[in-house]
Amino acid sequence: MNRLTWRKMVNAVMSSVTALCALIAVVPLLFVLGLLVVKGTSSLNWAFFTKLPVPVGETGGGIANAIVGSAELLLLAALFGVPLGVAGGIYLSEFGGWGVPFVVRYAADLLVTVPSIVIGIFAYAVVVLPVGHFSALAGGFALGVMLLPIVVTNTEQFLRTVPVWLREGSLALGAGHWKTTMSVVVPAAMQGILTGILLALARVAGETAPLIFTAFNNAYWNRGLNQPVSSLPYMIWIYGISAYDDWHRQAWAAALLLLGLVLVVNVLSRLVLARRMASRRIA
Amino acid sequence: MMNRRSLVSLLGLAVCAGLVGLGSLLSPGPSNVSIAEPVPLPSVLINAAGATFPYPIYSKWFSEYHKLHPDVEFNYQSVGSGAGIRQTIDKTVDFGASDGPMNDQQLAEAKQKLGYDILHFPTVLGADVPCYNIPGVTAELKFTPESLSNIYLGKITKWNDPALTGPNPGVKLPNTDIVVVHRSDGSGTTYIWTDYLSKINPAWASKVGRNTSVNWPVGLGGKGNEGVAGLVKETPGAIGYVELIYAIQTHIPYGVVENKAGKFIKADLASVTAAATGAAANMPDDFRVSITNAPGADAYPISSFTWLLIPSHIADATKRDDIKAFLKWMLTDAQQYNEGLDYARLPKAVVAKEMTQINRVQ
Amino acid sequence: MATSNTGVEVRLPSAPRGRGLRLGGTRGVDLIAKMLTLVAAVSVLLVTVWLVIELWEQSELSRHAFGFRFLLDRAWDPVFGHFGAMPFVYGTLVTSAVAMLIAIPLGVGAAIFLAELAPRGLSDTLTFLIELLAAVPSVVLGLVGIFVVVPWVRTSFGPFLKDIFGFLPLFQGPIYGVGFLTAGLVLAIMVLPFIVSISREVLLSVPNDLREGALALGSTHWESTWKVVVPTAGTGILGSIFLGLARALGETMAVSMVIGGTPQIAASLFAPGYSIASVIADQFAEATGDLFRQSLVELGLVLFGITVLLHAVARLLVNTTARKAKGAA
């Protein structure tokens, strides 16, 4: 075989091999989704959504408190992470100079990579120990600390994509810097910022580790911010590692619910962002 | 008008940032139940954490108690005796639970940190059973103390080892590897198991010792009684130790153990109660007693009390009264639920003594 | 009146407000705004610094008790108060190594296909799906790990590996199902989307002239990819690998559910072990005795240190490629 044929063969083979890699990379997601649908759908019944957990060994309970608890924790995380994050992102993009923004960006980058269990230790030391007990607040704080750097980085990135001429036009017309930012730049980037926040919330919604020694868990409804609270990922964890078939069923259903919500948010966000990027290219 | 809008935006930012702090200040504490409400809302949430060993009976109790007293919620989290002790000392929960009594060092630490004592209240009697998953074997295996300790020391590694086939002549044990399963978390069930192994095997006592968390020579770690049962159920060749009810509820076969008197005894209500008779007569004032390897022809050798760890001083009056009321209920009416879940009742002498200890909770 | 593509209109103010075109202007509103947003931005910095301080302070007892020996000590004995990080560092490194060994070839291969060889529509769809994998919560993957991967390793994959590679100490010993190998497999699934995503972006950022130049000189598609584009993007791809590794090291839930909960250093991949993140998750809430708990915090500090270092290196590598690409363009 001559050299050219050999090279063409290598081309064909390697193209196939890399295509195979890509296909293999897609399989896990589809597999997990399929598995959860098969194992979890049958348990997604009315009791599951509305009842509280029953004593161990008995059947018929649900995880209503965990679903509400997760929502509560996300709200707390958003309260802590979103305003600070968006404002911080605005600073980095609009007002920043050289020193502070560089350090802040580096810190945000760092904070994003901190393992979630370490954030849990931090929240334990900073909220649980001084207050004296576990609470939704501690859990929300832990999740908020995870949310904050993501929102900051994201907001800054999207603000930066707003073209300079938009800012300059506004300033040229006499609007002040802050007015420009709030009336022109932020609204222009708003879609991206909001989807970024939603994606960050979806990411944080699935976190279990930071909640283990902050939010603790609650067999009943959460009665206040300074009381323990149950959550979806936590229930998936303890039900999953147990030996009770009924708990396993509920774990699958809860996992399906959680993954479903997370995927819906992710898919919608990406579609919105893709459309935005496409229209941007046309402009 | 533009200016005001900007100011409003700034104000909004400042308010949002302060909301978190505001939230914690405004969070609802226990409210008093209003007189005319037909169904009073739960006004008190009492948090407890600890042993997984008695979790089935505790969750039943707390559920039944809540039906009788809808205004009180006991939130018990089964996180392991080690965590129960830790969190009682740290006071991150209102009370704890453990099947390994707090040792002197821990009690001293608690006294030093909190300023008051922690009281032990025995609640039920239970048993650690050796459960196993051997493909093809459904029979009830007989275990001698030596074989159990040597399995856990890693000296016996196959199911058809003579130490195991000897006491079980009618059973065909395969040449499978033994997969030892223990607890990965701090556990009172571990305390009971290692306490027993330390008593019957001096090598174990010096090499590993007794504690809620030990340096295991061999084996896999599962989290909680639930985790160990889960691992044993899923892993062929596995042996683990769990509280009796976990083996029963998950339909895992468990073996009988040779007791001090030389008889192979199965863990059940009668044999566990028999193990406690000696201790009942001579219960120490602080209720910290070990009944493993108890004398008596019909005593199950790996039995134990399990305790609630109640602070002797509770500042919140409502919580204190609720806890004391629960303790009284627990010692009397609640005991009727024990047998349904294969836990043995407390001996009468012990109950009487505990009633007096309730008065120490101020 | 200028209109941006999002339809926002800029209106003339009713009365001009004087000179204020300087960025970071001196007008009251602008100053307050700058201050407030600065505070918000600095809060990120504060939280990070606070985190490090807390980790440092809360591990004081164990740092003084064990010093640097902590990193090398193998024991984990709560009864005798003897703690060492080695088994957990080992477990973390081994599971991450297994994960990277699987995820790197698969990931880089997939990225090459998606960036260079695939038609646009297919590439976009597949990338979309692969990136969604990154959104799957760790505990959900742990659940799948317990009920699918563990039995599969125990009954099929493990014996298969043992048959073929049993002469290596890596594949000897009993196959429990849980263990280093299983944890590594689950981790690989978690790390894969990061490597694919970042490598793909890095490859796409290589300027077209390089590709076209190679093709113009008569190379095949694969040759232009493998011999020109990939080397150019090399440091960036390496950066993506480091980022993936940083992610793998810190992964908690999925690993703790399938690793076997045993602090030990074992040669076999089938053996159960422990990772730093898993042991903290399992034992932190119950560490009786301050030394025990602070040892766990110290473990957290060690993990934090390793991930920070890796992340810094990764960022450096990725940024170098980005700058090179911009420079060459």
Side-chain angles (χ1 to χ4, degrees), chain C residues 37-67:
Chain C
T37 50
L38 174 63
V39 165
V42 167
S43 72
V44 177
L45 190 59
L46 276 174
V47 168
T48 314
V49 169
W50 197 8
L51 183 112
V52 179
I53 292 178
E54 281 296 331
L55 282 180
W56 188 256
E57 279 186 359
Q58 293 284 337
S59 59
E60 184 164 341
L61 262 182
S62 68
R63 275 186 295 108
H64 285 155
F66 304 119

Side-chain angles (χ1 to χ4, degrees), chain A residues 81-106:
Chain A
V82 169
L84 280 179
V86 171
I90 292 177
Y91 179 82
L92 290 179
S93 162
E94 304 298 312
F95 292 105
W98 278 112
V100 172
F102 177 73
V103 178
V104 170
R105 266 186 220 112
Y106 185 73

Side-chain angles (χ1 to χ4, degrees), chain C residues 93-106:
Chain C
L93 288 177
V94 166
T95 49
S96 304
V98 171
M100 297 314 279
L101 273 172
I102 299 171
I104 293 176
L106 268 182

Side-chain angles (χ1 to χ4, degrees), chain B:
Chain B
M1 203 158 92
M2 288 293 191
N3 201 18
R4 207 185 298 160
R5 231 179 79 181
S6 321
L7 279 175
V8 168
S9 320
L10 284 176
L11 209 59
L13 272 177
V15 166
C16 276
L19 263 175
V20 177
L22 226 57
S24 67
L25 287 171
L26 291 173
S27 71
S31 58
N32 286 324
V33 178
S34 75
I35 318 157
E37 281 204 67
V39 177
L41 281 174
S43 61
V44 181
L45 178 73
I46 298 178
N47 294 308
T52 60
F53 179 94
Y55 181 52
I57 186 70
Y58 286 1
S59 63
K60 179 79 180 166
W61 279 352
F62 292 129
S63 166
E64 292 297 322
Y65 192 78
H66 182 59
K67 288 183 197 160
L68 293 171
H69 300 89
D71 54 321
V72 183
E73 282 173 349
F74 282 91
N75 174 26
Y76 181 83
Q77 291 302 319
S78 146
V79 288
S81 302
I85 296 177
R86 169 87 258 150
Q87 288 167 25
T88 308
I89 298 179
D90 278 347
K91 212 174 169 313
T92 40
V93 290
D94 295 307
F95 65 88
S98 169
D99 356 284
M102 290 171 73
N103 59 28
D104 294 331
Q105 194 190 5
Q106 289 160 345
L107 282 174
E109 186 187 344
K111 184 81 186 269
Q112 190 221 0
K113 276 198 177 158
L114 302 168
Y116 49 79
D117 292 314
I118 304 286
L119 304 170
H120 287 74
F121 281 86
T123 52
V124 293
L125 283 161
D128 273 6
V129 297
C131 59
Y132 44 85
N133 175 356
I134 312 170
V137 174
T138 45
E140 198 176 76
L141 292 179
K142 296 188 166 77
F143 292 100
T144 61
E146 295 73 36
S147 61
L148 279 179
S149 58
N150 283 328
I151 290 176
Y152 271 81
L153 277 171
K155 293 195 179 146
I156 299 180
T157 54
K158 294 268 189 193
W159 278 109
N160 60 355
D161 189 289
L164 295 169
T165 52
N168 298 290
V171 184
K172 194 169 184 315
L173 287 167
N175 187 25
T176 326
D177 291 324
I178 301 183
V179 179
V180 175
V181 180
H182 55 74
R183 292 283 288 269
S184 62
D185 51 334
S187 153
T189 316
T190 298
Y191 181 86
I192 299 167
W193 189 254
T194 51
D195 178 51
Y196 172 71
L197 292 181
S198 298
K199 282 186 184 172
I200 54 105
N201 191 331
W204 180 276
S206 60
K207 188 170 177 206
V208 185
R210 59 163 65 79
N211 203 330
T212 52
S213 200
V214 299
N215 195 6
W216 297 96
V218 290
L220 302 177
K223 191 163 173 57
N225 263 294
E226 305 91 338
V228 171
L231 264 181
V232 170
K233 196 168 186 184
E234 304 288 328
T235 314
I239 183 172
Y241 57 90
V242 291
E243 209 286 324
L244 175 62
I245 191 62
Y246 284 92
I248 295 177
Q249 276 182 341
T250 53
H251 311 291
I252 304 178
Y254 56 97
V256 299
V257 184
E258 188 183 10
N259 68 5
K260 203 166 180 178
K263 284 174 72 174
F264 285 96
I265 302 289
K266 184 169 178 169
D268 58 29
L269 297 171
S271 57
V272 169
T273 314
T277 38
N282 305 310
M283 182 64 75
D285 284 338
D286 65 358
F287 295 96
R288 297 187 298 155
V289 67
S290 157
I291 57 172
T292 52
N293 209 27
D298 300 313
Y300 181 71
I302 325 181
S303 311
S304 179
F305 283 102
T306 182
W307 295 265
L308 286 179
L309 307 169
I310 311 281
S312 55
H313 171 73
I314 302 175
D316 183 321
T318 330
K319 282 190 181 178
R320 180 179 61 234
D321 294 336
D322 284 325
I323 291 177
K324 286 170 84 160
F326 174 77
L327 286 172
K328 290 202 179 95
W329 180 80
M330 181 273 288
L331 290 169
T332 50
D333 291 335
Q335 299 283 313
Q336 66 179 295
Y337 297 107
N338 295 15
E339 276 144 19
L341 288 167
D342 289 291
Y343 292 92
R345 293 184 186 231
L346 294 171
K348 285 203 173 56
V350 175
V351 168
K353 201 163 177 165
E354 286 188 62
M355 283 292 195
T356 18
Q357 192 179 234
I358 297 185
N359 297 328
R360 282 188 65 190
V361 180
Q362 307 279 318

Side-chain angles (χ1 to χ4, degrees), chain A residues 14-227:
Chain A
M14 289 318 286
S15 303
S16 319
V17 165
T18 51
L20 191 64
C21 289
L23 276 170
I24 295 178
V26 172
V27 164
L29 176 71
L30 300 174
F31 179 75
V32 169
L33 202 50
L35 184 69
L36 288 181
V37 166
V38 164
K39 290 223 166 207
T41 331
S42 53
S43 310
L44 281 178
N45 50 32
W46 186 244
F48 178 80
F49 282 105
T50 54
K51 289 214 151 62
L52 294 178
V54 291
V56 65
E58 297 179 19
T59 54
I63 55 165
N65 58 342
I67 298 174
V68 171
S70 268
E72 200 177 324
L73 284 169
L74 282 179
L75 193 63
L76 281 173
L79 276 174
F80 178 78
V82 169
L84 280 179
V86 171
I90 292 177
Y91 179 82
L92 290 179
S93 162
E94 304 298 312
F95 292 105
W98 278 112
V100 172
F102 177 73
V103 178
V104 170
R105 266 186 220 112
Y106 185 73
D109 232 11
L110 204 72
L111 204 50
V112 170
T113 30
V114 173
S116 55
I117 192 76
V118 174
I119 305 236
I121 299 179
F122 175 56
Y124 178 80
V126 154
V127 183
V128 176
L129 281 184
V131 168
H133 53 249
F134 302 106
S135 59
L137 203 62
F141 175 76
L143 294 182
V145 167
M146 297 188 70
L147 199 69
L148 180 62
I150 305 176
V151 174
V152 167
T153 319
N154 201 62
T155 308
E156 187 200 349
Q157 270 174 13
F158 277 103
L159 286 173
R160 279 191 183 283
T161 63
V162 175
V164 176
W165 51 259
L166 207 59
R167 288 187 185 78
E168 288 181 347
S170 164
L171 291 169
L173 289 167
H177 199 171
W178 178 246
K179 203 181 320 174
T180 303
T181 308
M182 291 311 280
S183 311
V184 175
V185 183
V186 168
M190 189 55 92
Q191 226 174 9
I193 297 176
L194 279 178
T195 42
I197 293 175
L198 276 175
L199 281 173
L201 279 173
R203 151 111 181 245
V204 154
E207 289 291 338
T208 322
L211 299 176
I212 302 178
F213 23 88
T214 49
F216 188 48
N217 199 22
N218 199 330
Y220 303 97
W221 298 106
N222 170 254
R223 290 281 158 195
L225 289 176
N226 66 350
Q227 304 284 4

Side-chain angles (χ1 to χ4, degrees), chain C residues 187-218:
Chain C
L187 262 186
I189 300 178
M190 307 190 74
V191 164
L192 189 60
F194 287 91
I195 297 184
V196 171
S197 176
I198 301 175
S199 297
R200 178 178 165 273
E201 273 178 30
V202 159
L203 284 167
L204 283 175
S205 74
V206 172
N208 249 346
D209 333 2
L210 289 173
R211 287 184 194 86
E212 289 174 355
L215 288 171
L217 286 170

